[in-house]
Amino acid sequence: MKFSCGRGAMSITSSSAAWKPTDVVADQFPAGLRVLVVDDDPTCLMILEKMLRTCLYEVTKCNRAETALSILRENKNGFDIVISDVHMPDMDGFKLLEHIGLEMDLPVIMMSADDGKHVVMKGVTHGACDYLIKPVRIEALKNIWQHVVRKRKNEWKDFEQSGSVEEGDRQPKQSEDADYSSSANEGNWRGSKKRKDDEEETDERDDTSTLKKPRVVWSVELHQQFVAAVNQLGIDKAVPKKILELMNVPGLTRENVASHLQKYRLYLRRLSGVSQHQSNLNPPFISPQDSTFGPLSSLNGLDLQALAATGQLPTQSFARLQAAGLGRPTAKSSIPMTLVDQRNIFSFENPKLRFGEGQQQQQHMNNKQQINLLNGIPTNMEPRQLASLQHGGQSIGNMNMQVASHGAQNNQNNSLLMQMGQPQSRGQILGDTTVSHSPRRPSSMGQPILSNGMAANVASRNGIPETIGATSYNPVSQATSTLNFPMNHASELPGNSFPLGSTPGISSFSSKGTFQEDVSSEIKGSGGFMPSYVKFNDLSQHKPQNWELQNVGMTFNFPQHSSSLQSNLMQSVLVQQGSSGQMNGHNRSSAVVSRAMFSAGDIKEHGNAQNVNQHLNNLVDNIIRVKSEGVFDTSPGNLFPVHFGQEDLMGALLKQQDSIAPTENEFDFDGYSKDNIPV
Amino acid sequence: MDRNPLRRQLQIMRKSFFDQGYLDEQFVQLEELQDEANPNFVEEVVTLYYRDSARLILSIEQALERKPFDFNKLDAHMHQFKGSSSSIGAKKVKAESTQFREYCKSRNREGCTRCFQQLKKEYATLRKKLEAYFQLARQAGPMETACRPK
């Protein structure tokens, strides 16, 4: 791979926080690697800095995690890699790791004097790319560049797969320099494009350079697509680039995806965190639909599943979700589903469920359903989740923006999600309101795409809300001051992302250290997330982007529960679950999700109950309660009935519930009632 | 000048640190980081270490005076202290830290107290030795201080 910093290497001076663009340093790679080292021990910090300098890296040191985060946020492309201590007074190193992974998607190396297997394992599960035992020797630092390369390589590969959007994105991104990845990364990425020749890339770049990143409105469909993509990739590995590729939405940029993803993650986190709270899930803002979001956490779990559903929800993602759901910020991917514009989300449902169902679902899912779902969800997000949402939100935000523009993406998303879920499990339906919308994937997503769906929905929701109705968000959030996110980490709140209401087209969480505020605003909105979702509804039908998850392969391993309806349901359920987040245990989330999805789907199948919402709520509750056994009993009917109308969904969900015996209703979806969310 | 004898003396002193187990390989790492740009790097780091760890020592002392012991807190403090000490290569101090943590884990109050006294002793001894060392190094001339054949 040639590491040519096409971007001209914006290198950051190490010692001072001043960044000065330097010439391309790619040729001297790994020299010039921009490292951020975080350690509360000044002795270690000093030594590390010196060692890194000796390796010819550009070092920035800081002794507090919060500071590190804000530095990173302010300079999204300013660093290539982060090295962080595990034990820090102001923030746990693993939490920082999560944040960074979510928001910036940078490789993070953990270090500690503690070499216990448990701790090291924790590093692994949290996504650290390496773990160094103190005292650190310079030899260990000399090779850290490999992590940067590896990551870029993987991203590039992902990119390659999808190709189109990415390229388009890259162009603008590059020019805009507002990338989540480091500029070096971009450059390398471009330079090492294996697939195309440089010329080709260049051409594309030229073409796309004119592409102005449109304000993305994260419609339900788009969100669904997003969620589907995330699910397919697996929440752990869902990086913006890959998601973008999977989504294959023209005009959607990686940044859009990244911010949306951030929000989504935060949302999920919130969900899982909320589950602990279990309360305040019903943010007033849901008023439009009166949906009471179930425990976010459960939703989280679901989302996670959906997200992680790239075929199988990685246990660890789930674990994370669950943790998140449980209020443990382990899950990086708490997707701030809540933000999803309910309407939009539901609009996802409306659109044809892509799940194998084909178009039938579409009608079923109406936005309302989605909305309801969404509404419920955000409220329960715990701060953590919120934070994660935020994180996700950032990417999602972007996505939202784009999504919105895409219009009825939601549906597609839903379908996409559904589709995704399909292979895996019904659960995938979960996140995808979009899935429901567009039964794009008629393929049988027999598999419980629910989770995906849900996730997708969530995701889409997240994204959508932001963009769609940024404004709408505001009112909601404010209205829902009931949301009490136990904002433990205010900073984590993706205030930015979700306060979509306020800023339409919230492209990214302006998490520049303003998470706290954002979060609170979000939280206020009871989940601030919800509002965003609501916005989605507005979005509804933009040009139906092809969110289809092209079989993203939702990796939910949900036992084949299926039905697109489920996805829709799941979405709702997911949302609800999110609130109740009961996922305990790593599999829980997945299980829950799948279950929820499943149930949702099943329910849907059974009938497009008019009161899907209500049903859904109930179901969701049940679903959420399902302790992620990971077993979706729901009979997988059609995987995600694309058209879940809210009512339908609910009805289906309910029905499913009934029919689904085994599902352990551990999901406690807070009853969020889904009103018909007008798309 | 009398650099040579001073330098020789310095080398002998230095070697004794390793032979007697006061310092370990990590100290060498620090020395290797010292260069023209940072000619007193090792001394700076050690100074920083003693300054920063003093408050940790104090915290631990205070925690040891409380009854009952908060072993978790003690362990956390010591973990931090150990990390710091190991980063400068303070071998004996690090060993005592490890021992202390063992006592914490087994909730051995007396073990903790005893161990901590021992730790403080080693900590102080090392400081004296290093202070003498650096002083000698300054006298011997900056160029020669960190030179050490691998």
Side-chain angles (χ1 to χ4, degrees):
Chain A
M1 212 199 285
K2 47 178 179 138
F3 300 106
S4 39
C5 275
R7 286 286 243 124
M10 286 263 319
S11 349
I12 310 266
T13 8
S14 44
S15 41
S16 59
W19 285 273
K20 56 175 189 309
T22 62
D23 293 337
V24 174
V25 297
D27 295 340
Q28 311 142 30
F29 188 89
L33 197 73
R34 298 159 306 169
V35 184
L36 176 68
V37 57
V38 189
D39 194 335
D40 65 310
D41 183 336
T43 311
C44 291
L45 204 57
M46 184 174 178
I47 296 172
L48 282 169
E49 188 192 12
K50 186 75 177 98
M51 284 180 173
L52 290 165
R53 292 259 170 79
T54 305
C55 296
L56 301 181
Y57 297 149
E58 286 194 11
V59 186
T60 305
K61 60 177 180 184
C62 74
N63 62 354
R64 283 175 53 85
E66 298 289 351
T67 314
L69 268 182
S70 35
I71 291 177
L72 286 169
R73 285 169 187 153
E74 280 163 26
N75 303 279
K76 291 250 150 71
N77 291 338
F79 295 95
D80 297 311
I81 190 166
V82 179
I83 302 179
S84 170
D85 188 31
V86 167
H87 299 280
M88 289 188 287
D90 65 329
M91 186 193 288
D92 181 44
F94 293 116
K95 177 172 271 183
L96 177 65
L97 166 61
E98 282 177 24
H99 279 305
I100 295 176
L102 277 178
E103 298 181 35
M104 293 107 203
D105 195 24
L106 285 176
V108 181
I109 295 177
M110 301 304 293
M111 46 170 195
S112 176
D114 195 345
D115 59 351
K117 183 174 135 194
H118 169 71
V119 185
V120 178
M121 177 62 82
K122 219 173 157 193
V124 172
T125 55
H126 282 72
C129 62
D130 203 352
Y131 191 103
L132 304 177
I133 308 290
K134 286 182 176 179
V136 178
R137 296 173 59 88
I138 194 171
E139 289 81 22
L141 296 176
K142 282 210 174 105
N143 289 330
I144 62 172
W145 58 266
Q146 62 174 296
H147 303 294
V148 179
V149 171
R150 191 176 294 119
K151 202 167 182 99
R152 289 184 199 168
K153 190 160 174 273
N154 290 339
E155 283 178 353
W156 196 89
K157 251 194 247 185
D158 294 332
F159 172 80
E160 220 182 358
Q161 286 158 21
S162 67
S164 55
V165 186
E166 275 293 329
E167 288 182 9
D169 276 348
R170 280 188 296 160
Q171 247 334 285
K173 271 192 300 210
Q174 199 174 36
S175 44
E176 294 177 13
D177 193 3
D179 208 327
Y180 282 94
S181 55
S182 64
S183 50
N185 198 359
E186 286 289 304
N188 278 351
W189 181 42
R190 300 227 171 115
S192 55
K193 199 148 162 109
K194 313 177 211 158
R195 176 165 54 160
K196 312 236 179 244
D197 296 331
D198 287 348
E199 303 79 80
E200 210 171 323
E201 281 183 34
T202 310
D203 291 342
E204 247 181 295
R205 254 179 250 145
D206 294 341
D207 294 338
T208 52
S209 52
T210 56
L211 241 186
K212 259 310 143 203
K213 217 175 5 175
R215 181 72 133 325
V216 173
V217 177
W218 282 94
S219 67
V220 171
E221 278 173 40
L222 196 62
H223 180 67
Q224 282 177 342
Q225 270 181 307
F226 168 82
V227 177
V230 172
N231 291 339
Q232 183 178 339
L233 293 168
I235 188 58
D236 288 341
K237 316 209 349 227
V239 292
K241 284 190 182 99
K242 292 183 193 167
I243 296 172
L244 193 54
E245 292 169 22
L246 283 172
M247 284 172 64
N248 197 21
V249 171
L252 192 66
T253 70
R254 185 191 161 288
E255 279 142 293
N256 299 140
V257 173
S259 75
H260 191 73
L261 177 63
Q262 202 165 41
K263 294 184 192 134
Y264 189 45
R265 280 184 173 143
L266 285 168
Y267 170 73
L268 285 186
R269 250 171 152 193
R270 222 160 93 184
L271 291 180
S272 52
V274 175
S275 53
Q276 296 198 345
H277 303 285
Q278 302 274 342
S279 41
N280 343 321
L281 247 205
N282 305 323
F285 72 84
I286 321 190
S287 46
Q289 300 91 21
D290 299 352
S291 42
T292 50
F293 288 85
L296 281 181
S297 40
S298 38
L299 184 54
N300 230 351
L302 288 175
D303 279 339
L304 280 180
Q305 283 200 329
L307 292 180
T310 23
Q312 0 151 287
L313 189 59
T315 301
Q316 92 190 24
S317 329
F318 256 160
R320 275 205 255 165
L321 275 176
Q322 307 242 341
L326 298 178
R328 295 192 303 262
T330 50
K332 276 171 127 112
S333 52
S334 16
I335 296 195
M337 296 227 340
T338 53
L339 275 193
V340 176
D341 183 330
Q342 295 180 349
R343 267 168 328 153
N344 286 333
I345 298 202
F346 285 104
S347 59
F348 284 135
E349 299 180 344
N350 279 339
K352 44 273 169 93
L353 254 186
R354 291 210 289 195
F355 281 100
E357 293 313 296
Q359 334 293 329
Q360 1 164 327
Q361 321 286 351
Q362 266 184 346
Q363 288 77 31
H364 301 319
M365 295 291 284
N366 46 56
N367 292 339
K368 297 203 219 140
Q369 274 184 344
Q370 296 179 347
I371 295 181
N372 286 343
L373 282 177
L374 291 178
N375 282 331
I377 301 185
T379 41
N380 292 335
M381 302 249 286
E382 282 188 335
R384 195 159 10 119
Q385 291 178 329
L386 196 53
S388 44
L389 278 178
Q390 235 177 353
H391 296 310
Q394 284 188 357
S395 43
I396 293 182
N398 283 339
M399 286 179 52
N400 286 341
M401 310 273 286
Q402 295 181 353
V403 176
S405 57
H406 292 308
Q409 312 270 343
N410 297 347
N411 293 334
Q412 307 205 347
N413 278 347
N414 281 337
S415 0
L416 191 57
L417 284 175
M418 306 256 295
Q419 293 180 356
M420 293 202 350
Q422 185 183 2
Q424 331 298 327
S425 51
R426 316 253 182 110
Q428 305 200 339
I429 298 195
L430 252 180
D432 277 319
T433 47
T434 53
V435 176
S436 53
H437 280 311
S438 34
R440 258 223 234 185
R441 299 197 175 214
S443 42
S444 55
M445 297 274 263
Q447 293 307 319
I449 304 191
L450 281 180
S451 41
N452 284 339
M454 291 295 276
N457 283 334
V458 172
S460 50
R461 275 185 251 176
N462 280 338
I464 299 186
E466 294 208 310
T467 47
I468 302 189
T471 42
S472 52
Y473 179 81
N474 276 336
V476 174
S477 37
Q478 277 138 31
T480 51
S481 37
T482 57
L483 181 68
N484 10 320
F485 281 91
M487 306 280 265
N488 301 321
H489 302 279
S491 57
E492 291 178 11
L493 287 176
N496 292 336
S497 52
F498 288 95
L500 295 180
S502 44
T503 44
I506 300 184
S507 46
S508 47
F509 285 102
S510 18
S511 45
K512 318 201 185 161
T514 54
F515 272 116
Q516 300 179 351
E517 290 129 56
D518 292 333
V519 177
S520 40
S521 62
E522 283 199 349
I523 299 203
K524 289 192 274 201
S526 55
F529 295 103
M530 292 306 292
S532 356
Y533 280 98
V534 177
K535 294 193 258 193
F536 264 134
N537 288 332
D538 292 335
L539 275 192
S540 55
Q541 339 272 334
H542 295 265
K543 42 191 192 156
Q545 299 255 344
N546 196 4
W547 282 60
E548 307 200 314
L549 276 186
Q550 294 117 14
N551 235 351
V552 174
M554 298 276 248
T555 51
F556 278 115
N557 291 335
F558 291 111
Q560 317 30 89
H561 305 292
S562 65
S563 66
S564 45
L565 185 104
Q566 288 184 345
S567 58
N568 284 332
L569 275 180
M570 291 309 281
Q571 292 176 358
S572 318
V573 172
L574 199 49
V575 173
Q576 299 189 358
Q577 287 188 343
S579 6
S580 50
Q582 310 231 353
M583 317 238 227
N584 318 288
H586 42 286
N587 285 325
R588 223 122 7 115
S589 41
S590 44
V592 172
V593 173
S594 45
R595 270 207 219 153
M597 302 281 291
F598 206 65
S599 312
D602 286 347
I603 292 185
K604 177 81 177 83
E605 294 178 7
H606 292 326
N608 299 316
Q610 297 67 28
N611 294 329
V612 175
N613 294 340
Q614 293 146 26
H615 292 276
L616 194 58
N617 285 333
N618 300 337
L619 181 65
V620 168
D621 286 329
N622 287 337
I623 294 180
I624 293 192
R625 305 234 178 70
V626 178
K627 288 292 184 166
S628 58
E629 317 278 310
V631 182
F632 273 83
D633 315 333
T634 56
S635 46
N638 20 26
L639 205 46
F640 286 169
V642 176
H643 341 264
F644 285 122
Q646 263 187 356
E647 290 99 355
D648 286 343
L649 189 60
M650 285 310 282
L653 201 57
L654 287 179
K655 281 201 194 163
Q656 187 136 28
Q657 236 179 2
D658 299 336
S659 49
I660 302 172
T663 333
E664 300 163 39
N665 298 326
E666 302 200 345
F667 288 112
D668 291 318
F669 280 110
D670 289 322
Y672 87 103
S673 49
K674 293 171 15 150
D675 296 331
N676 287 337
I677 298 179
V679 178
Chain B
M1 303 264 329
D2 41 22
R3 278 204 193 180
N4 278 348
L6 274 181
R7 210 173 356 138
R8 216 175 301 127
Q9 195 179 341
L10 203 61
Q11 281 170 359
I12 293 170
M13 194 189 280
R14 182 180 172 283
K15 187 168 186 303
S16 76
F17 291 162
F18 290 99
D19 292 343
Q20 292 167 23
Y22 285 100
L23 294 176
D24 61 23
E25 178 62 23
Q26 190 63 20
F27 190 80
V28 178
Q29 291 265 318
L30 297 191
E31 290 176 320
E32 286 173 352
L33 288 173
Q34 188 157 297
D35 54 17
E36 281 168 13
N38 300 87
N40 300 311
F41 180 73
V42 185
E43 186 178 357
E44 285 167 14
V45 173
V46 172
T47 306
L48 179 59
Y49 162 74
Y50 273 101
R51 193 165 5 119
D52 182 62
S53 57
R55 63 175 173 81
L56 273 173
I57 295 276
L58 190 60
S59 303
I60 296 174
E61 251 167 358
Q62 288 170 347
L64 284 173
E65 278 158 24
R66 268 181 234 122
K67 305 204 193 296
F69 278 4
D70 182 350
F71 285 106
N72 292 336
K73 196 170 201 171
L74 281 173
D75 187 67
H77 283 315
M78 190 49 75
H79 171 81
Q80 205 172 341
F81 180 80
K82 180 184 169 187
S84 247
S85 308
S86 67
S87 69
I88 68 155
K91 193 170 179 182
K92 287 196 180 182
V93 175
K94 178 182 175 181
E96 293 296 335
S97 306
T98 307
Q99 184 62 55
F100 185 92
R101 291 191 78 198
E102 289 299 317
Y103 284 130
C104 279
K105 287 197 190 86
S106 50
R107 301 295 198 254
N108 183 341
R109 237 176 141 125
E110 174 165 341
C112 280
T113 319
R114 242 187 311 116
C115 182
F116 188 64
Q117 298 311 313
Q118 186 62 24
L119 183 149
K120 276 198 290 184
K121 244 195 269 171
E122 293 294 348
Y123 178 78
T125 304
L126 180 65
R127 177 203 247 134
K128 276 197 219 91
K129 285 184 182 284
L130 287 175
E131 276 172 357
Y133 178 79
F134 290 127
Q135 194 165 0
L136 186 60
R138 264 180 258 121
Q139 286 172 18
M143 297 300 284
E144 275 110 8
T145 43
C147 245
R148 158 185 109 117
K150 233 155 145 196

